[in-house]
Amino acid sequence: IFAVILLTAGVVTYFKRLLKNREIVFKGQIVNAFIALLKEVLTMKRHGECLDESSLQKRPWYLRPRFVHGFILWGFLSLLFATTSDFFFIYLLGTDFYFPARLTGTIGGLMLMYGVSIAIWERIRRHHRHSRHTHPADAWLLFFLFMLGFTGFWLELVVMAKIQGPLHDWILLIHAAMAMELVLLVAITKLAHAIYRPLSLFIYHLQQKAKELNNA
C-alpha cells in the first residue's frame, strides 16, 4: 500500500502536466509518442548520445555504458516477467508450467548480473565522467541488484538439485526481504527513474510531435 501511494503520487504529478495541454491528446499523437518512447527503451539511443566520450566509443560494444545499462534493464524486466509467470501459472492456476519462466529468468538473471557487475567495476575504477562519482543511492541500488541476482541463482540451483537446509532457508529469506524492500521503496530510490524517466520521455515526445504537427 505504501509503495502504491508513493508511485501514484509521482505518476499523478506527471499526468497533471500532460493533461494541461489537451490539444496534444486530441490531436492523436499518443500512439506516435509511445512508439518513439518504445524505440528509446529498446535502443538506449539517447543514453548513448549523453556519453559520447571518444574513449568510451573505442570500447567493445558490450562494455559501453549504453549497452551495460541495457543489459541491466532487460535483465530486470525478464526477471519480472519470469516471476509474474511463475505466480500466474503455478500459484494461481496450479499447473507445472514452469520451464519457460525458468529459462527466461535464467537468461534475464545472467544479463542483470553481467550489467551490474560491469557497472560496479566501472564505479570502482572511476576512469570516466559517468562513473567518477558514486552516491550512496547509486551504491545501494547496485548492491541490491547484485545480491538479488546472486541469491536468486543460489535458490535456483538449490531447487533444481532438491537440496534442503537452514542455510538455504536463510538465503530465501534474504532474497525475499531484499526484493520486497526494493519494491516498497521503488518510488523514493534511484530505481524510480525506471518509471519517471519513461513518463518524462513520453510527455517530451508528445510535445515534440505536437510541435511538428503545428509547424506542418
Side-chain angles (χ1 to χ4, degrees), residues 72-185:
I72 296 175
L73 169 65
W74 287 105
F76 189 86
L77 291 178
S78 298
L79 288 170
L80 178 63
F81 174 79
T83 304
T84 305
S85 299
D86 259 348
F87 178 77
F88 180 77
F89 287 106
I90 296 178
Y91 292 98
L92 292 184
L93 298 183
T95 67
D96 294 327
F97 190 68
Y98 62 86
F99 176 74
R102 178 166 294 177
L103 179 62
T104 303
T106 301
I107 295 174
L110 290 173
M111 292 174 65
L112 178 71
M113 289 295 287
Y114 172 80
V116 170
S117 298
I118 297 297
I120 293 175
W121 177 244
E122 287 296 325
R123 289 185 178 275
I124 292 175
R125 294 174 64 199
R126 298 192 299 178
H127 282 179
H128 302 287
R129 174 172 51 85
H130 72 281
S131 60
R132 195 163 294 153
H133 303 288
T134 301
H135 299 282
D138 303 318
W140 181 87
L141 179 58
L142 288 173
F143 171 75
F144 258 62
L145 291 177
F146 182 87
M147 288 302 299
L148 283 173
F150 177 79
T151 54
F153 275 116
W154 182 301
L155 294 172
E156 183 176 10
L157 293 174
V158 166
V159 170
M160 292 177 65
K162 298 181 179 180
I163 303 174
Q164 296 183 354
L167 173 62
H168 311 309
D169 295 336
W170 278 105
I171 295 294
L172 173 60
L173 179 62
I174 293 172
H175 181 82
M178 294 183 73
M180 290 303 100
E181 184 174 347
L182 198 66
V183 171
L184 180 66
L185 302 178

Side-chain angles (χ1 to χ4, degrees), residues 46-62:
R46 291 170 65 89
H47 190 86
E49 291 172 352
C50 293
L51 300 168
D52 57 355
E53 299 177 32
S54 58
S55 57
L56 292 176
Q57 297 301 327
K58 293 178 181 178
R59 286 181 166 194
W61 65 270
Y62 50 84

Side-chain angles (χ1 to χ4, degrees), residues 11 14-15 18 33-38 40-42 44 46 69 73 77 190-206:
V11 171
Y14 277 94
F15 275 96
L18 173 64
F34 181 77
I35 292 175
L37 171 62
L38 187 61
E40 166 58 23
V41 173
L42 290 172
M44 296 284 169
R46 291 170 65 89
H69 188 269
L73 169 65
L77 291 178
K190 209 62 179 286
L191 188 60
H193 80 279
I195 299 169
Y196 297 144
R197 177 170 169 78
L199 282 174
S200 297
L201 283 173
F202 180 68
I203 294 174
Y204 167 78
H205 287 304
L206 275 176

